[in-house]
């Protein structure tokens, strides 16, 4: 039951994040570009002359709050089952910082920057640390996704000339979100609880 709840929360959290970005982009006025515009611009652009477009801002910021809370709650259920601190800690931090991104939108530059950087970093680390829980081939997929996300995050200056700030950031964020959906599906199909109950 614990893993079913955690899997559902993570699967839905990843799905909500993707759909909120798509929906926010749909309502955003012309001029928004996946090449030059960062994802967080949906919640509010950087000052000076910050721009906050509705309903895009409300959709994006609310989704970050809700999904951050969902990831955090899922981490508690997962830890009750597996008790793997190496995985639980980064997942918990990831959830809390996604929540923080919703509290401090893009136009709150200092705090938003801190929460976004930590969320990106620990989201990537979570994918890698899942090797403590998941079997192959998902184990290796998670490691590759996490390393790739970290490469685009901390090597952003290499990729920005080709992908733009927006494209580069999406190469950091989207793989982690896709992994979140996949990992949620893994938990939903997991038989660990049943095996434990049988013993």
């Amino acid at each position: 039951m614990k893993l079913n709840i955690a899997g559902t929360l993570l699967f839905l959290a990843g799905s909500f994040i993707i759909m909120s970005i798509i929906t926010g982009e749909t309502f955003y006025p012309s001029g928004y570009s996946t090449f030059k515009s960062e994802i967080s611009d949906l919640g509010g652009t950087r000052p000076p002359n910050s721009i906050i477009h509705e309903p895009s801002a409300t959709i994006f910021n609310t989704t970050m709050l809700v999904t951050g809370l969902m990831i955090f709650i899922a981490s508690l259920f997962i830890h009750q089952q597996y008790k793997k601190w190496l995985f639980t800690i980064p997942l918990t931090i990831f959830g809390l910082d996604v929540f923080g991104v919703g509290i401090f939108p893009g136009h709150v530059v200092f705090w938003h920057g801190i929460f976004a950087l930590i969320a990106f970093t620990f989201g990537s680390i979570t994918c890698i640390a899942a090797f403590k829980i998941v079997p192959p081939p998902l184990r290796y997929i998670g490691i590759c996704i996490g390393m790739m996300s970290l490469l685009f995050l901390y090597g952003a200056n290499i990729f920005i000339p080709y992908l733009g700030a927006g494209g580069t950031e999406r190469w950091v964020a989207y793989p982690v979100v896709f992994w979140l959906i996949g990992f949620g599906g893994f938990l939903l199909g997991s038989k660990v609880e049943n095996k434990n109950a049988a013993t």
Side-chain angles (χ1 to χ4, degrees):
M1 186 63 180
K2 295 173 186 176
L3 294 186
N4 286 336
I5 295 173
T8 300
L9 289 172
L10 294 180
F11 185 91
L12 291 178
S15 302
F16 289 164
I17 290 172
I18 292 295
M19 296 313 298
S20 75
I21 292 173
I22 293 173
T23 306
E25 291 172 345
T26 300
F27 284 112
Y28 210 89
S30 60
Y32 186 89
S33 164
T34 54
F35 179 85
K36 66 179 181 180
S37 302
E38 298 176 355
I39 298 172
S40 296
D41 286 350
L42 295 171
T45 62
R46 301 184 187 191
N49 304 317
S50 296
I51 300 173
I52 301 174
H53 286 293
E54 295 293 356
S56 298
T58 297
I59 292 171
F60 179 77
N61 295 330
T62 301
T63 300
M64 294 301 102
L65 291 171
V66 172
T67 56
L69 187 60
M70 292 169 72
I71 295 169
F72 172 73
I73 294 173
S75 72
L76 301 181
F77 282 109
I78 292 171
H79 185 71
Q80 289 178 20
Q81 179 61 51
Y82 291 106
K83 295 179 173 58
K84 301 290 186 181
W85 287 107
L86 183 63
F87 177 75
T88 304
I89 291 174
L91 179 63
T92 301
I93 294 173
F94 175 48
L96 291 175
D97 280 276
V98 170
F99 186 84
V101 168
I103 294 178
F104 301 104
H107 58 279
V108 187
V109 178
F110 178 77
W111 287 109
H112 177 81
I114 290 176
F115 279 98
L117 178 61
I118 296 175
F120 286 145
T121 300
F122 278 88
S124 303
I125 293 173
T126 297
C127 297
I128 298 171
F131 82 89
K132 298 290 290 183
I133 293 175
V134 301
L138 186 57
R139 173 184 301 169
Y140 305 122
I141 292 173
I143 291 172
C144 291
I145 285 176
M147 293 177 64
M148 180 180 67
S149 182
L150 289 172
L151 174 64
F152 276 87
L153 175 61
Y154 290 99
N157 290 336
I158 299 173
F159 302 104
I160 286 176
Y162 306 100
L163 300 173
T168 301
E169 184 186 40
R170 283 162 175 79
W171 270 93
V172 175
Y174 283 175
V176 173
V177 176
F178 292 144
W179 177 88
L180 203 65
I181 296 172
F183 180 64
F186 164 78
L187 293 179
L188 284 171
S190 176
K191 302 298 183 182
V192 172
E193 284 188 315
N194 292 336
K195 289 180 181 179
N196 288 346
T199 57

